[in-house]
Amino acid sequence: MNQNIVAIDGPAGSGKSTVAREVGAQIGYSYVDTGSYYRAFTLFFHKIYKKENPTIPFSEWIKNKNLENEISKISIQTEFLSGGTNKTILNSEDVSEEIRLPEVTEEIKYLAPLRIVRDFVNQCLHDLGDKYKLIMDGRDIGTEVFPDAKFKFFVTASIDTRAERRFQELVEKGVNVDLDQLKEDIAKRDKSDMERKIAPLRMADDAILIDTTQLSKNVVINMILSKILQS
Ligand code: C5P
């Protein structure tokens, strides 16, 4: 059993990143947002796509790329900052903001299902795991990346609650969004994450399920902390 890894998996918008960051700060584990690796990987190609400005959609364009050749040009790193915040570095550039662009979020579904992409990200995560104690959030950490993690949680919430929370977050940032559209986007992302053949989103058999629909952030943090500290 790997005592140095806490895996927190779950669907988009379940609040797992906030909780993981705060639990990590309290137990002295560095927080890694594994979605940021899929985002940065996608951003690498998104930028080339924009530069080439082809007439075909990204989904078609990416099929013609030889990923095996391109992958050696990609380096993704997490820079740990104080308070559990991170920077995502793609080829020496801070892309922490850019990876959140809606277009990038939308394009991830063409890359995240591919074995070559997942092997690349998993290698990055294992390299970190060799050096640090980590609390990671993602979709497949407890099932595929660190199936031997001692602590595994699956954090979820109803689709309405997840959409509402994301909506509030964006409103606070001054971003104008439509709640129904947000809900539809989250549902689509859930579907593609759950239905992909390789490393789909699912709860590990030995994970603890936490449905946060009716729970406050602090209650969830304390539930996770008490499970970790009592074992
Ligand atoms: O966590 P976040 O929503 O930023 O992740 C973006 C996307 O990256 C997910 O919708 C999923 O397709 C992919 N992802 C993944 N495996 C992970 C983390 C994220 O496939 N461990």
Side-chain angles (χ1 to χ4, degrees):
M1 280 241 171
N2 190 339
Q3 308 261 359
N4 293 336
I5 303 289
V6 179
I8 305 200
D9 290 307
S14 60
K16 57 193 187 308
S17 60
T18 317
V19 164
R21 191 175 286 121
E22 296 198 20
V23 170
Q26 298 211 35
I27 60 171
Y29 280 43
S30 303
Y31 166 64
V32 178
D33 164 9
T34 67
S36 70
Y37 284 77
Y38 289 95
R39 289 174 176 277
F41 196 99
T42 305
L43 178 64
F44 176 84
F45 288 100
H46 176 79
K47 286 183 175 203
I48 302 174
Y49 175 72
K50 284 273 162 191
K51 212 182 260 171
E52 289 184 8
N53 198 18
T55 48
I56 51 171
F58 183 86
S59 55
E60 291 302 314
W61 174 85
I62 195 72
K63 282 186 201 153
N64 300 324
K65 288 277 148 196
N66 183 336
L67 294 189
E68 225 158 301
N69 284 351
E70 301 291 321
I71 218 158
S72 60
K73 301 176 197 155
I74 305 177
S75 152
I76 304 171
Q77 254 129 24
T78 294
E79 203 175 292
F80 299 113
L81 306 174
S82 61
T85 53
N86 292 341
K87 272 189 191 166
T88 303
I89 312 292
L90 168 64
N91 295 341
S92 312
E93 190 191 343
D94 180 358
V95 293
S96 313
E97 298 285 327
E98 236 177 318
I99 56 172
R100 309 274 152 206
L101 286 171
E103 287 161 281
V104 174
T105 306
E106 163 64 23
E107 288 161 1
I108 298 173
K109 63 172 177 283
Y110 303 114
L111 288 160
L114 308 178
R115 168 59 68 201
I116 188 170
V117 178
R118 303 203 74 85
D119 284 349
F120 174 90
V121 171
N122 292 350
Q123 187 59 52
C124 297
L125 302 179
H126 274 276
D127 289 347
L128 283 176
D130 289 341
K131 286 193 238 153
Y132 305 102
K133 290 183 171 187
L134 302 174
I135 181 161
M136 311 181 123
D137 78 18
R139 304 294 188 287
D140 63 339
I141 307 305
T143 50
E144 300 281 338
V145 190
F146 288 102
D148 60 340
K150 169 121 194 249
F151 310 104
K152 295 184 189 179
F153 299 90
F154 193 85
V155 175
T156 187
S158 72
I159 178 93
D160 285 323
T161 303
R162 290 187 282 131
E164 183 67 39
R165 285 183 192 153
R166 195 39 72 83
F167 180 74
Q168 290 305 336
E169 251 172 49
L170 292 170
V171 167
E172 276 161 34
K173 282 189 191 162
V175 182
N176 220 343
V177 280
D178 178 68
L179 180 58
D180 286 333
Q181 183 61 50
L182 208 58
K183 196 166 142 185
E184 201 182 307
D185 292 348
I186 291 179
K188 272 197 207 147
R189 210 130 72 81
D190 285 357
K191 188 167 151 57
S192 83
D193 283 338
M194 287 189 292
E195 289 182 353
R196 70 169 165 249
K197 290 204 175 66
I198 305 171
L201 166 67
R202 70 171 182 85
M203 185 173 129
D205 296 336
D206 52 350
I208 294 168
L209 173 66
I210 304 180
D211 183 335
T212 70
T213 306
Q214 308 281 351
L215 304 176
S216 72
K217 183 182 83 179
N218 285 341
V219 168
V220 180
I221 290 170
N222 286 331
M223 280 168 83
I224 295 180
L225 275 175
S226 71
K227 290 282 178 200
I228 293 174
L229 298 174
Q230 77 188 206
S231 61

